[in-house]
């Protein structure tokens, strides 16, 4: 008995699952579906839920609906009260620790672009309250030398997923690096901001696409916010109406 064109794809998928069963994103243990975590990795992956800073997405003490925090001026963390943020609102999917950090590092340095699909899906859920009609989605760029070494921009893979999920325009080359910058690790807050000062710009051919429009800026990790500040300032200077940010993982103080 032959297969119809309708049953063949399903049959092929079943055969592939027998040969390549779904594996946990974190530890490769068997799971029920692709893009999932096993129970142990799920417990060790700290998703941001409940109260979070409406500017940077860091979790705040207390409980309640995280979406409501966007309109509540009191839902701002101490860092965002001390440091001026040029963007409007911010969200994060995960805390940068445990399995969350492991997944980010695997995507960023472990040559695992396949992780961008499921991780981008988590980011898209976190970013949903920020989405507005006509928004432009753009990633934080890599310097060409770093892009050549890494082969892909992990932020661009995530932003492509977010744009696709929410049906928004995606411009992966909206921003560019004017100069190469040293790593931010082991730098003070002041040094981090100085390191990124005037390092990012808007690509001239895309300027007209953001004039008077809102931009959703995407990156994999946010720590001090220096990179996001440089990017948001460049977008606003180029004529963007507002900038909101969404990151896969948010670094938090111990």
């Amino acid at each position: 008995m032959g297969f119809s064109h309708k049953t063949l794809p399903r049959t092929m998928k079943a055969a592939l699952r027998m040969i390549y069963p779904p594996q946990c994103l974190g530890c490769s243990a068997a799971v029920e579906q692709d893009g999932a975590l096993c129970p142990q990795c799920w417990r060790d992956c700290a998703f941001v839920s409940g109260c979070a800073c409406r500017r940077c997405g860091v979790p705040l003490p207390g409980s309640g609906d995280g979406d409501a925090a966007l309109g509540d001026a009191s839902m701002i963390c101490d860092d965002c009260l001390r440091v001026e943020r040029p963007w409007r609102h911010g969200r994060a999917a995960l805390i940068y620790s445990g399995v969350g950090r492991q997944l980010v590092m695997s995507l960023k340095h472990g040559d695992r672009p396949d992780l961008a699909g499921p991780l981008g899906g988590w980011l898209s859920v976190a970013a949903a309250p920020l989405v507005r009609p006509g928004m432009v989605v753009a990633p934080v760029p890599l310097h060409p030398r770093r892009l050549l070494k890494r082969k892909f921009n992990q932020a661009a893979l995530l932003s492509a997923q977010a744009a696709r999920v929410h049906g928004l325009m995606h411009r992966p080359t909206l921003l560019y690096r004017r100069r190469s910058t040293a790593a931010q690790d082991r730098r003070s807050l002041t040094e981090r901001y100085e390191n990124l000062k005037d390092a990012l710009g808007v690509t001239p051919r895309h300027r007209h696409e953001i004039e008077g429009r809102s931009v959703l800026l995407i990156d994999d990790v946010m720590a001090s916010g220096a990179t996001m500040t440089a990017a948001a300032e460049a977008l606003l200077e180029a004529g963007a109406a507002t900038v909101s940010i969404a990151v896969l993982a948010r670094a938090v103080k111990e």
Side-chain angles (χ1 to χ4, degrees):
M1 182 170 134
F3 296 110
S4 71
H5 71 283
K6 292 183 179 180
T7 59
L8 183 58
R10 186 180 301 173
T11 304
M12 291 177 64
K13 287 180 182 178
L16 286 172
R17 281 182 174 272
M18 292 180 65
I19 301 172
Y20 304 106
Q23 295 181 326
C24 170
L25 296 176
C27 69
S28 299
V31 291
E32 292 186 359
Q33 62 185 22
D34 292 322
L37 295 171
C38 70
Q40 179 60 45
C41 287
W42 180 267
R43 286 191 294 269
D44 195 34
C45 192
F47 289 88
V48 177
S49 61
C51 288
C53 174
R54 67 187 183 95
R55 287 283 172 81
C56 71
V58 72
L60 295 174
S63 60
D65 185 356
D67 291 349
L70 281 177
D72 188 345
S74 67
M75 295 297 182
I76 299 179
C77 70
D78 291 342
D79 285 346
C80 288
L81 288 173
R82 288 193 300 265
V83 181
E84 184 178 356
R85 307 293 198 188
W87 61 83
R88 185 177 183 182
H89 295 307
R91 279 299 178 102
L94 310 168
I95 297 301
Y96 189 57
S97 65
V99 170
R101 183 181 185 280
Q102 172 191 326
L103 292 172
V104 171
M105 295 301 287
S106 294
L107 171 64
K108 192 170 185 175
H109 299 297
D111 197 22
R112 290 289 309 277
D114 57 290
L115 291 174
L119 300 186
W122 297 349
L123 185 150
S124 299
V125 172
L130 309 177
V131 172
R132 299 292 180 268
M135 253 184 168
V136 179
V137 182
V140 169
L142 290 178
H143 189 271
R145 286 200 296 269
R146 188 166 295 177
L147 181 60
L148 184 63
K149 181 179 180 180
R150 195 173 293 171
K151 302 175 185 176
F152 61 86
N153 179 3
Q154 70 282 353
L157 298 181
L158 296 171
S159 62
Q161 182 77 348
R164 187 161 47 246
V165 168
H166 295 294
L168 299 174
M169 177 190 292
H170 184 227
R171 286 294 177 264
T173 57
L174 178 59
L175 290 161
Y176 72 100
R177 295 265 178 173
R178 290 192 173 114
R179 56 181 172 81
S180 180
T181 56
Q184 295 282 73
D185 298 346
R186 298 184 180 88
R187 291 177 180 267
S188 68
L189 182 63
T190 301
E191 290 171 339
R192 287 177 180 232
Y193 276 83
E194 188 63 29
N195 188 38
L196 270 297
K197 186 177 180 181
D198 298 324
L200 303 178
V202 172
T203 307
R205 72 176 183 274
H206 291 316
R207 291 179 71 96
H208 71 282
E209 295 178 323
I210 64 168
E211 291 179 356
R213 301 177 70 173
S214 295
V215 177
L216 179 60
L217 185 62
I218 304 290
D219 205 0
D220 56 343
V221 180
M222 175 177 163
S224 67
T227 302
M228 286 301 205
T229 293
E233 287 177 345
L235 292 167
L236 293 171
E237 289 173 4
T242 62
V243 177
S244 293
I245 68 164
V247 296
L248 174 60
R250 180 72 169 92
V252 298
K253 298 176 182 178
E254 295 183 1

